[in-house]
Each structure stands twice: as C-alpha cells, then as structure tokens.
Amino acid sequence: MGGSARNPGALQGDNASGQSPYQRLSRRMRDISGDRGVLKDVIREGAGELVTPDASVLVKYSGYLEHMDKPFDSNCFRKTPRLMKLGEDITLWGMELGLLSMRRGELARFLFKPAYAYGTLGCPPLIPPNTTVLFEIELLDFLDSAESDKFCALSAEQQDQFPLQKVLKVAATEREFGNYLFRQSRFYDAKVRYKRALLLLHRRSAPPEEQHLVEAAKLLVLLNLSFTYLKLERPATALRYGEQALIIDRKNAKALFRCGQYQKARDFLVRAQKEQPFNHDINNELKKLASYYRDYTDKEKEMCHRMFAAYDNGSTVGEN
C-alpha cells in the first residue's frame, strides 16, 4: 500500500531502551479505544465523513506479527477487495474500532492488543497466545447500508412520511451498492439493488417543482438496469429498460446505445436458433425482442404522426 513502510512488522530502531519495536512504535501512536488497546498512526489523511456504524466498507489490509517481514494475513493481492459489513464480516474488534475512526482514502497503521485481536489463546498455528498485532489498513470507500436497509423495510405509507430528499438519498445508496456489485461481476445481485432503488422512486410522488429530481434519479437506475440485463444475457429486458430511459431523456446517448445493442443481441439469438431451432428459451427470447421492438416503433410512429399533424394544421409555438 502506498505510503507504508516496506516491512512494518519488523520495525527498525535502537534497542538500547530495552523496549520491543512495537513498544517503541506505540509511544507515538494515538489511543482510540480509551485503554491503549487500539493505537493508531495516520500515514495518509483521508477526506469526508467518518465511517458510520453498520456501514459496509471496502478496504485493503495487511496484518503483521512483531519481528516478521511478511504479513500473516492480507487482501492486498486480490484484484478487487470484497465489501465487508461492520459487525458481521469483520471479526477483529480492534479493526472495527479502527475503521470507525477512518475517512475515505485514509491509510493508517494500528496496533491491536490481544483483547482487541486474537485474545489469550491466539489463533494457532499462525498467531501465538497473548499477541499484539500490527495492521495497515487503507479505506477505499464505505457505504452506509443500515439507513437504507431500515428505510426499505418500512411500508409505502411509512416511507411517504419522510421528505423527498430522504428517498433520493436511500435510492442513491441502493444504486451505489448495485454499482459495486456490478464491478464485481455479480450482475444478479446488482440487479436486485437497482430494482430496489427504482421501486422507491416509482412509489414516491413529488410536487411538480421537484419531479425533475425524481426523473434524474430514475434515469440513472434505468440505464444501470439496461446494462445489467445485457450482461445477464436478457436483451429483451435490457431493451425495455432502455426505452424507459429514453422516455425521460430522448437524446440520452447511453440509452440510445443500450437500445442499439438490441440488433446485436438479435443477431446472436438468430445464430443460436439456427443451431438449435427447437430450443424453447431461444425462441421465446426472440419473440420478446420482436414484441418490444414493435412497441418501440409504434410509439415512434405515433409521435411522428402527432408532430406532422400539428405542422399540417399550421400550429407554431407562440401563436394562437
């Protein structure tokens, strides 16, 4: 991790004091637990709000034993770290307290005393009993899922009691979760989060002066859903969500591109049908594509008809 020492577990220094490397390091670290059980040294400052309780965090970490060069535990070699929920996926009490003291982008070094790490028994064979461990943690991002989960558990009537900004915030959080899951190629799980966001936005009525905020939020979710269904190899559904996005913004480049991929999807299905002409799934998907495309072209024709009818009647903007 950038900004850290090469071998944090084997800290160099003068041994004349008779203190161990971790004891010397602890003298310049900040106590965040109140009993010096969790000590912190910031390597790189972060920005924004502190991590909230019950949040889901995206972190890189490495754990070291004293006098050892290599970490006994690390996720820094993974291409994409997984999202971990505080109180569920993180088992070290010291790490949870440490994360609650961090901001996005922050890189910090922590010392965890045994009571905040692996206890009196340790974790054989790697961790001896009563061992103080050092962790370097980089907070890449976090999402406050507790607020979203509680809100989504309410009935529609209860949700209506909250201001619009609350609904928009929860919908944005759900979409952010979906984006993270999409980047992890967990497309089915991403779809579930996006649909939760869309349901919140569909259920909420807004006054005319604020409706544009709801429509803007819907547009982003619809584009995400369209792309996700393409990844799930369900082009007919992808086309449907793309069309809904175009209703909000007819010139949206992403929506036009998603719908444009319809033809590509159809070409693949036709090729598949040639190989397996009696495949029920392939034939049904082609029927769905044809139906959605007919609906789309019918809407286009109807709109063009209204435009030309208005022109033929001599109607122009601003004239009676």
Side-chain angles (χ1 to χ4, degrees):
M1 290 184 288
S4 61
R6 180 174 296 177
N7 299 319
L11 296 166
Q12 305 299 316
D14 181 11
N15 289 322
S17 64
Q19 294 182 319
S20 70
Y22 281 6
Q23 287 173 330
R24 293 195 303 276
L25 176 64
S26 69
R27 291 184 301 187
R28 58 184 176 84
M29 300 181 81
R30 180 166 63 90
D31 177 15
I32 64 170
S33 61
D35 60 358
R36 297 195 64 77
V38 179
L39 303 176
K40 177 180 180 180
D41 180 30
V42 176
I43 299 170
R44 184 183 68 230
E45 296 285 351
E49 300 176 350
L50 291 171
V51 172
T52 53
D54 298 319
S56 295
V57 297
L58 191 64
V59 299
K60 288 184 178 181
Y61 66 85
S62 294
Y64 297 87
L65 297 175
E66 200 166 18
H67 306 298
M68 291 187 66
D69 291 344
K70 294 183 179 180
F72 65 82
D73 186 19
S74 178
N75 73 343
C76 292
F77 305 105
R78 295 179 185 171
K79 184 176 181 181
T80 307
R82 71 183 183 91
L83 207 61
M84 298 186 294
K85 187 172 177 62
L86 297 182
E88 294 181 11
D89 301 317
I90 297 173
T91 56
L92 290 187
W93 189 15
M95 181 179 285
E96 185 147 339
L97 288 179
L99 285 166
L100 289 171
S101 73
M102 298 183 74
R103 306 175 192 275
R104 287 183 179 88
E106 183 177 331
L107 174 64
R109 181 180 296 154
F110 297 89
L111 280 178
F112 303 147
K113 295 290 180 64
Y116 291 87
Y118 299 96
T120 57
L121 298 179
C123 187
L126 286 176
I127 315 296
N130 289 309
T131 298
T132 295
V133 294
L134 181 147
F135 269 80
E136 281 195 357
I137 302 175
E138 182 179 10
L139 179 63
L140 304 175
D141 200 2
F142 72 90
L143 296 170
D144 185 359
S145 57
E147 180 183 25
S148 175
D149 291 341
K150 289 177 183 176
F151 188 84
C152 290
L154 299 175
S155 67
E157 293 75 16
Q158 290 172 319
Q159 290 177 5
D160 285 341
Q161 304 303 313
F162 290 86
L164 177 63
Q165 290 302 322
K166 173 77 170 182
V167 178
L168 293 174
K169 181 181 178 183
V170 172
T173 299
E174 289 296 313
R175 180 173 166 269
E176 287 171 10
F177 263 101
N179 290 347
Y180 170 78
L181 293 165
F182 186 96
R183 290 193 294 269
Q184 295 268 318
S185 296
R186 294 167 58 184
F187 302 122
Y188 182 86
D189 294 330
K191 175 203 72 172
V192 171
R193 288 289 186 172
Y194 291 143
K195 282 196 166 184
R196 279 178 67 170
L198 190 61
L199 179 61
L200 289 172
L201 296 168
H202 274 324
R203 287 201 307 207
R204 185 56 183 255
S205 58
E209 64 272 14
E210 292 185 326
Q211 186 60 34
H212 70 284
L213 299 174
V214 177
E215 295 299 300
K218 279 184 185 178
L219 178 61
L220 295 175
V221 178
L222 289 168
L223 291 171
N224 289 145
L225 277 167
S226 182
F227 196 22
T228 301
Y229 274 104
L230 282 173
K231 291 292 186 180
L232 289 169
E233 299 181 353
R234 293 176 60 183
T237 309
L239 177 63
R240 176 158 55 89
Y241 283 115
E243 290 172 351
Q244 290 180 37
L246 285 173
I247 292 173
I248 297 173
D249 181 3
R250 291 188 53 77
K251 294 184 179 181
N252 186 276
K254 286 186 177 180
L256 290 167
F257 177 71
R258 301 282 185 269
C259 292
Q261 288 177 288
Y262 158 83
Q263 186 61 45
K264 180 180 177 182
R266 184 181 180 282
D267 290 344
F268 278 112
L269 285 169
V270 168
R271 286 165 56 187
Q273 188 186 48
K274 287 181 180 178
E275 297 296 326
Q276 299 182 23
F278 302 108
N279 186 296
H280 181 74
D281 293 332
I282 294 173
N283 290 330
N284 275 349
E285 199 65 25
L286 277 167
K287 288 178 183 177
K288 288 180 186 177
L289 276 175
S291 174
Y292 287 134
Y293 189 68
R294 280 197 302 271
D295 290 344
Y296 181 68
T297 53
D298 287 345
K299 290 175 186 174
E300 288 287 300
K301 289 176 182 177
E302 183 182 350
M303 184 169 295
C304 289
H305 176 74
R306 289 200 303 266
M307 289 171 60
F308 285 112
Y311 178 80
D312 290 340
N313 292 331
S315 172
T316 57
V317 176
E319 287 189 357
N320 295 321

